[in-house]
Amino acid sequence: AQKVTQAQTEISVVEKEDVTLDCVYETRDTTYYLFWYKQPPSGELVFLIRRNSFDEQNEISGRYSWNFQKSTSSFNFTITASQVVDSAVYFCALSEDNYKLSFGAGTTVTVRA
Amino acid sequence: KAGVTQTPRYLIKTRGQQVTLSCSPISGHRSVSWYQQTPGQGLQFLFEYFSETQRNKGNFPGRFSGRQFSNSRSEMNVSTLELGDSALYLCASSLAGTSYTGELFFGEGSRLTVL
């Protein structure tokens, strides 16, 4: 069975600090996809990034970057120079190509001005 | 382009009643998924439809059902409501075809309160 663990329940930072969100996953498949979503107070989940299990290249997209390590089953996400608008709940998710996502419990990020 | 639209946004029901929630996907998207979000259980997959066919179903009782129409719009129904059904119900659409690789685009959800 799939499982996604986000050990951090809440993170509070001051604006312009970096924030790193941890995600550890469990799967028996060799082909899978990992995602990060953001949920602002309005409720909708906003897609941030996607990674497939065959691509461990870490990238940076604007203020977002991620670190995917299959050896440790981790898919961490970093927001650089955080802003107040980054305050939201962030979810890590796993899909084993069966049309559904398994989400972690979420990490609430609060960025203070 | 317009995003995923869910109606109603908020509703209050009493135990034993039934409820129908509606979701209009992004134009051109043929896959619609439903998720339940509660403080205790988090985000849980309900079901996914593609071209009017249910392709996958989560671990929910038969009181939870859904369907998809030829225009890709979807509805989900919960019968004999229980207090524990109080949740935010999120609908998501994607271009997903024969296999799942695409990101999901979520609506703002329908918040159901069961009294």
Side-chain angles (χ1 to χ4, degrees), chain A residues 68-97:
Chain A
F68 175 34
Q69 293 190 359
K70 284 180 71 173
S71 60
T72 57
S73 296
S74 65
F75 185 51
N76 299 336
F77 176 69
T78 297
I79 305 171
T80 302
S82 61
Q83 301 174 2
V84 173
V85 293
D86 295 327
S87 296
V89 183
Y90 289 81
F91 291 94
C92 179
L94 166 70
S95 172
E96 291 177 329
D97 199 30

Side-chain angles (χ1 to χ4, degrees), chain B residues 51-52 68-73:
Chain B
S51 293
E52 303 179 66
Q68 186 180 33
F69 302 96
S70 58
N71 62 357
S72 294
R73 191 177 70 84

Side-chain angles (χ1 to χ4, degrees), chain A residues 43-61:
Chain A
E44 83 278 20
L45 286 161
V46 178
F47 167 81
L48 296 175
I49 57 175
R50 173 187 65 226
R51 213 81 198 130
N52 70 52
S53 54
F54 295 105
D55 185 358
E56 288 192 71
Q57 181 179 356
N58 296 311
E59 293 185 16
I60 297 174
S61 176

Side-chain angles (χ1 to χ4, degrees), chain A residues 33 35 37 39 41-50 89 91 95-105, chain B residues 9 33 35 37 43 45 48 55-58 88 90 96-108:
Chain A
Y33 297 84
F35 303 78
Y37 280 86
Q39 187 176 39
S42 56
E44 83 278 20
L45 286 161
V46 178
F47 167 81
L48 296 175
I49 57 175
R50 173 187 65 226
V89 183
F91 291 94
S95 172
E96 291 177 329
D97 199 30
N98 58 357
Y99 318 118
K100 70 176 185 180
L101 293 178
S102 294
F103 286 88
Chain B
R9 290 291 314 282
S33 303
Y35 288 80
Q37 186 176 24
L43 279 156
F45 172 78
E48 189 262 356
R55 292 197 294 192
N56 206 346
K57 189 177 190 302
L88 179 66
L90 291 162
T98 56
S99 63
Y100 182 81
T101 58
E103 65 267 28
L104 298 181
F105 295 86
F106 284 82
E108 292 183 314

